[in-house]
Amino acid sequence: ANLIPFQYVFLSRLGQALVVGYRGTLPEADLTHMKFWNRLGWPLMAGAFKAVEALFGAQFGNLTGKTSPFLKKDVVDDFYGYAQVLDYSMKEAVKNGKVNWEMGTCESFGENSLKLRDGKEIDADVVIFATGFQKDYNIFSDDVKSKLDIQNDGLYLWRHTVPANVPNLGFVGSELAVISNISGYGVQAAWLGKFWANEIDAPGVEKMQQDIEASKSWKREWMPTTPSRASLVLLHQIHFYDLLLKDMGLPHFRKSNPLAEAFMPYESADYNGVIAPIGQAIKDTAPEA
């Protein structure tokens, strides 16, 4: 809750272990020791994350009311449902009395006010329509869409990249939600290139489908129902990257020493070399004079 920077909590291997201890590991990662830790550690981690959310609530003046952390899902579930980006300028504005906020459904608008569905009328300078979005797969034929088996909570893919039943089709970015889009899509693109070049020892269709079903069941056990649930990796980002790097035969421990590996946040620069640096890529692809 700003006592320790977000990236040190959730983008380090220590933070990854805390999340896994509470909500389990990616099924396809097959990390036996992490599964054991989850069985033992989830009650402790549940209390720890509830304390973190209480700190967030206190900072935003949000300990009571319908959005109180004590009356809804915990911070990890919330993050997978809505992937908030914490803005502490909002916290300071609330604390200093410069901003007041209200969450609800608009029934009607007045000249400088609005009426909520619960009957409450408030003056408002700004109204934010947080309506979400829905993906459209109509670029594909009906036959392909049928084979993709698109669900109400999204498109489930093997390694969040390729469908089990449609060859020569891959998705980079659109079906993967991680904390760092820059590193995520870069590693994913590198993996897909090697996959299509037959440089990855990929299983058959049946095993791919089993992995997809395992991921689907795990996510539906605890992640909030959203149209994009199939794509969510988020706080499990490090283990997902590890999985792709192992597939590619590349080292997944990428820090300079064990202490940094455990406690320092992973950044996009840590994956330098997985794909060519920008300058090298431009040089390699530039036409000869």
Side-chain angles (χ1 to χ4, degrees):
N2 210 29
L3 299 175
I4 301 174
F6 173 90
Q7 62 267 29
Y8 283 85
V9 178
F10 290 119
L11 293 181
S12 66
R13 289 198 181 273
L14 173 62
Q16 185 85 133
L18 297 178
V19 173
V20 167
Y22 184 30
R23 285 303 185 189
T25 188
L26 298 170
E28 59 267 41
D30 195 26
L31 300 173
T32 303
H33 63 294
M34 284 295 180
K35 292 178 182 178
F36 182 73
W37 158 234
N38 171 242
R39 293 191 189 100
L40 292 180
W42 74 264
L44 176 64
M45 290 298 98
F49 280 113
K50 182 56 68 175
V52 169
E53 183 158 23
L55 288 173
F56 283 139
Q59 287 189 339
F60 282 91
N62 187 35
L63 290 177
T64 60
K66 61 185 177 182
T67 59
S68 165
F70 303 109
L71 299 175
K72 62 182 183 61
K73 291 181 179 294
D74 62 75
V75 66
V76 176
D77 289 15
D78 262 358
F79 196 88
Y80 278 82
Y82 310 102
Q84 306 95 330
V85 177
L86 295 174
D87 180 359
Y88 287 97
S89 63
M90 168 73 171
K91 179 202 72 172
E92 293 302 321
V94 171
K95 180 180 177 180
N96 296 328
K98 296 180 179 179
V99 172
N100 192 17
W101 59 274
E102 182 82 26
M103 188 172 72
T105 302
C106 296
E107 186 71 29
S108 60
F109 288 90
E111 183 176 351
N112 297 304
S113 65
L114 66 152
K115 182 179 180 180
L116 301 181
R117 184 170 292 176
D118 62 9
K120 186 176 181 179
E121 294 190 30
I122 58 174
D123 294 332
D125 297 302
V126 176
V127 178
I128 299 173
F129 293 92
T131 58
F133 65 92
Q134 182 71 50
K135 293 181 180 178
D136 187 346
Y137 296 93
N138 286 327
I139 189 174
F140 300 113
S141 68
D142 291 341
D143 179 59
V144 170
K145 285 191 290 185
S146 176
K147 291 177 180 178
L148 289 174
D149 189 27
I150 301 162
Q151 304 283 300
N152 290 334
D153 55 349
L155 173 57
Y156 286 89
L157 302 170
W158 192 68
R159 300 293 197 258
H160 286 80
T161 307
V162 295
N165 296 312
V166 184
N168 304 318
L169 178 63
F171 297 80
V172 172
S174 66
E175 309 305 324
L176 174 65
V178 289
I179 303 298
S180 171
N181 293 337
I182 294 173
S183 60
Y185 303 162
V187 174
Q188 188 183 31
W191 181 93
L192 182 60
K194 288 184 176 292
F195 178 83
W196 277 342
N198 295 317
E199 296 176 13
I200 287 175
D201 186 18
V205 171
E206 184 177 353
K207 179 60 168 66
M208 283 186 181
Q209 195 61 52
Q210 289 174 357
D211 288 347
I212 291 171
E213 289 301 318
S215 177
K216 185 186 302 182
S217 297
W218 176 69
K219 291 182 176 186
R220 288 176 175 176
E221 281 178 4
W222 65 275
M223 291 185 190
T225 302
T226 65
S228 59
R229 178 166 55 188
S231 69
L232 301 183
V233 171
L234 297 179
L235 301 180
H236 290 78
Q237 171 179 294
I238 293 176
H239 285 171
F240 177 70
Y241 290 1
D242 288 352
L243 184 64
L244 298 189
L245 292 171
K246 290 176 183 177
D247 284 349
M248 291 187 282
L250 298 174
H252 60 285
F253 294 123
R254 307 191 67 82
K255 296 292 188 181
S256 59
N257 62 74
L259 285 177
E261 190 66 54
F263 298 109
M264 294 299 291
Y266 261 84
E267 301 174 341
S268 296
D270 291 305
Y271 298 95
N272 187 29
V274 176
I275 57 176
I278 292 176
Q280 184 64 42
I282 293 174
K283 179 180 177 181
D284 291 345
T285 58
E288 294 184 2

